[in-house]
């Protein structure tokens, strides 16, 4: 991914935050937290993952389709986009 | 949407099928069908709607972004795509 | 579904509204509306369908699991709930 | 959560696997992996998270609603279930 250093840093920070949420869920399960509490934490992690996915799909669309450096990159970038959409809306 | 007549006919047929599924759910509710049965029919209609959405997003991406007729169309087509993705992954 | 007449009327009204949204999408396609517009209408119909599904799952849970009239109804109501959850989170 | 030790171990193993997937995504981003590859890994992590959520919702339903130890637990367990459903189908 050809992100600027700043953008890349922000995206990696979001990935780490989700990893941290999974660690929180692990601890909650180990310490016998209430079921409802674990489900709430899981819903929150899923929301963060959806947000990150939307961000990366948008970045991909802008860089590799809209502003692709060649027709070939645009074609393959568009096809990758189609594959991802199918995964989410199957 | 600049679909060929054939493509357009197929897409409209899918929309009508989902409309028919909604009519089936209406009848099921009116005749007092079991709750589980209504939920199954609803899940099936939702699956059909997801499939149709994926199809239309792909068509939009191909026509108005990958094969856009101008840079301006590509920019606005890409932006519409981003808006739709955000709706589905918010 | 053992809804009161009033509840049932409200649910059927929601189903009809979604059917109306599908008719709107059909017309939009037939009259050559912009792709982005059709996708927005489809996202709106999907939101309405999600809301209706949540409502029916809650009604099912309350009537056939939490307030089930027998242990047998509770078991089978719970199993139907599990099947529906799997459909949505597969 | 009142899981048996064995069940609990399996669930924690699934949480750790998702954490491992997030670490893989972090590495992919840091080493400049292709956008499409990162999106595929993210889709895979999301699938694993959906599967885990379905599992925990089912466990919650069975333990705290269907086989609740008191009417009070059944009521509150049912309400927590409703809250989670609304989060996923809003």
């Amino acid at each position: 991914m050809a992100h600027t250093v700043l953008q890349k840093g922000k995206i990696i920070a979001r990935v780490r935050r989700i990893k941290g949420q999974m660690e929180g869920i692990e601890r909650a399960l180990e310490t016998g937290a209430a079921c409802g509490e674990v489900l709430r934490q899981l819903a929150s992690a899923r929301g963060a993952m959806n947000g990150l996915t939307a961000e990366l799909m948008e970045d991909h669309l802008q860089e590799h389709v809209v502003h692709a450096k060649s027709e070939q990159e645009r074609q393959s970038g568009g096809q990758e986009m189609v594959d991802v959409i199918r995964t989410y809306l199957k």
Side-chain angles (χ1 to χ4, degrees), chain A:
Chain A
M1 291 182 99
H3 287 104
T4 63
V5 174
L6 184 63
Q7 282 178 308
K8 199 170 141 174
K10 280 186 185 173
I11 291 168
I12 290 176
R14 286 176 80 165
V15 174
R16 283 191 191 140
R17 211 141 48 218
I18 298 169
K19 197 176 67 174
Q21 288 176 292
M22 297 316 296
E23 282 163 2
I25 292 166
E26 194 183 330
R27 269 194 308 277
L29 285 163
E30 278 171 345
T31 55
C35 220
E37 177 52 29
V38 175
L39 283 167
R40 264 187 295 280
Q41 287 187 31
L42 206 49
S44 169
R46 188 184 187 252
M49 207 184 259
N50 279 348
L52 176 63
T53 302
E55 171 80 34
L56 288 177
M57 284 177 81
E58 289 171 32
D59 289 356
H60 176 78
L61 183 72
Q62 292 296 343
E63 286 176 48
H64 303 295
V65 191
V66 175
H67 300 104
K69 280 172 285 303
S70 68
E71 263 318 298
Q72 201 197 319
E73 187 193 352
R74 180 167 289 134
Q75 298 283 340
S76 65
Q79 189 50 54
E80 286 185 314
M81 193 80 198
V82 164
D83 294 343
V84 172
I85 290 168
R86 281 195 193 144
T87 306
Y88 283 92
L89 285 171
K90 72 179 170 200

